[in-house]
Amino acid sequence: MKIIQLEYFCAVSRYHSITQAAQKLYVTQPAISSAIRELEKEFSISLFTRTKNHMTLTKEGEVFYQKASELLNTINQTSSELLDLGRKVTPIRIGIPPLLSTIFFPDMLIAFQKEYPDIPVELLEYGSIRAASLVQEDILDLALVNMNFYEIDKLNSYQILSDQIVFCVSFEHHLAKEKEVSIGMVKDEPLIMYNTDSVQNTTLNSLFESIGVKPNVILQASQLYTIQNFIKNNLGGAFLYSSILKNMPDLASIPVSPAIRQEIGLVWKKGKYINSSVEKYISFTRKYAADMRYVK
């Protein structure tokens, strides 16, 4: 039994005519006659009572028609579901540290979705170290990270920008008018630090360790809003990316000496097949970064 044989049989059952069924299906009459004969032979059954210009289902033919119709409906429904499954685009899973997201999102995401409206994106907040680890584990497709960690070579990467860390305080803070600060100058200051899986934290802790000092951390936060409010209320200072400060005129930013440069970029797993959606996002990021003059 073949699906096409059932389709021919059901058409004849509906139109009571091989001629009309052939016209509706755009096939020859012999093809339909042959299909019906093969079904009758295979199942040892008489499906139609034939007259010169009319074909009527036998009692067995009526039962056969009901079963064949149900089977064809199931096949058609399943085929539609499989086609829909093929049309679905899996979201691109991108890990983003909250602080970095303020530099690139939502503008970057809006621009991407404007160019590729049919490609969904799922953003998940993680610190750079954790996000990079999840890329390695195939839980994330991409991650926007601070690239200054020792395992960066295990990943494919594209640098988007090079930023500088500045020390931020309220305008009432006693260091607010300094032209620059050193790590030694802030060793006793109340500090708001970022999450523990932050590359920025690792960099700063190494600098404090190099002068034999443990920083006076009063808060570890993940959200810029919280950090900003602590600083504005003169509860402490924080090391932030200079790019963030363009939208925060209510904070005083002081260059750090020696300068702390941080490279920000996109990472993805080495040796992994990259689907077309992820490939488009990587290409878009390169173009977006260049257009915004993040990359010179």
Side-chain angles (χ1 to χ4, degrees):
M1 180 181 67
K2 299 177 181 177
I3 293 174
I4 196 167
Q5 292 173 337
L6 296 180
E7 291 174 340
Y8 289 174
F9 161 73
C10 288
V12 174
S13 300
R14 288 193 298 271
Y15 298 114
H16 305 286
S17 167
I18 289 178
T19 301
Q20 289 188 41
Q23 290 174 349
K24 296 292 183 180
L25 297 176
Y26 301 100
V27 296
T28 64
Q29 292 182 43
I32 292 181
S33 297
S34 176
I36 292 172
R37 283 196 303 270
E38 289 172 2
L39 286 174
E40 290 179 323
K41 182 178 179 181
E42 181 177 352
F43 294 100
S44 301
I45 190 174
S46 177
L47 296 171
F48 292 100
T49 299
R50 297 166 173 82
T51 61
K52 185 177 181 181
N53 296 317
H54 193 80
M55 297 187 71
T56 304
L57 287 168
T58 63
K59 289 185 178 180
E60 294 86 354
E62 289 178 357
V63 174
F64 197 92
Y65 175 68
Q66 292 175 0
K67 298 294 184 182
S69 296
E70 291 173 3
L71 180 58
L72 288 174
N73 286 335
T74 300
I75 290 171
N76 290 334
Q77 182 178 346
T78 303
S79 296
S80 297
E81 290 174 355
L82 291 175
L83 285 172
D84 288 341
L85 182 64
R87 292 190 189 103
K88 288 179 181 177
V89 180
T90 303
I92 305 172
R93 301 158 301 175
I94 306 175
I96 53 169
L99 287 186
L100 292 182
S101 69
T102 62
I103 302 174
F104 297 97
F105 297 96
D107 293 346
M108 187 176 183
L109 182 59
I110 291 171
F112 177 78
Q113 293 184 329
K114 185 176 181 181
E115 188 164 338
Y116 299 103
D118 297 327
I119 301 178
V121 175
E122 183 179 357
L123 302 178
L124 301 102
E125 285 194 347
Y126 296 101
S128 293
I129 295 173
R130 179 62 177 152
S133 175
L134 292 176
V135 169
Q136 288 279 48
E137 296 171 18
D138 287 328
I139 295 173
L140 296 175
D141 299 302
L142 301 164
L144 183 71
V145 301
N146 181 321
M147 298 170 65
N148 297 82
F149 63 98
Y150 71 96
E151 291 188 322
I152 188 66
D153 291 339
K154 293 183 178 180
L155 296 160
N156 287 320
S157 62
Y158 173 72
Q159 182 180 323
I160 298 174
L161 66 84
S162 179
D163 206 346
Q164 185 168 322
I165 298 295
V166 293
F167 188 63
C168 299
V169 293
S170 73
F171 285 106
E172 290 75 36
H173 195 279
H174 70 96
L175 294 175
K177 294 183 180 180
E178 295 288 337
K179 292 184 178 180
E180 61 181 28
V181 296
S182 65
I183 294 297
M185 289 172 64
V186 300
K187 61 183 178 64
D188 297 321
E189 298 294 329
L191 299 178
I192 301 104
M193 297 283 275
Y194 193 45
N195 282 343
T196 53
D197 63 345
S198 161
V199 173
Q200 182 182 350
N201 267 22
T202 302
T203 301
L204 292 168
N205 283 329
S206 295
L207 293 173
F208 280 110
E209 287 176 10
S210 69
I211 61 172
V213 170
K214 184 176 181 180
N216 179 23
V217 179
I218 61 168
L219 173 70
Q220 285 190 318
S222 61
Q223 299 301 320
L224 182 60
Y225 177 79
T226 303
I227 297 172
Q228 184 178 6
N229 275 338
F230 264 71
I231 298 172
K232 283 170 60 178
N233 287 285
N234 204 19
L235 296 174
F239 293 92
L240 297 174
Y241 298 108
S242 62
S243 299
I244 294 175
L245 275 299
K246 62 182 180 182
N247 296 320
M248 299 169 66
D250 52 349
L251 301 185
S253 62
I254 312 165
V256 179
S257 180
I260 306 173
R261 303 295 305 183
Q262 303 280 270
E263 285 66 45
I264 311 303
L266 198 66
V267 298
W268 60 100
K269 189 174 180 179
K270 284 185 176 180
K272 177 187 175 183
Y273 167 74
I274 300 296
N275 65 43
S276 61
S277 295
V278 175
E279 198 170 78
K280 287 174 182 175
Y281 195 91
I282 294 170
S283 297
F284 172 83
T285 300
R286 295 174 186 268
K287 182 177 181 298
Y288 184 87
D291 289 346
M292 296 302 291
R293 295 184 180 179
Y294 287 142
V295 177
K296 297 181 179 179

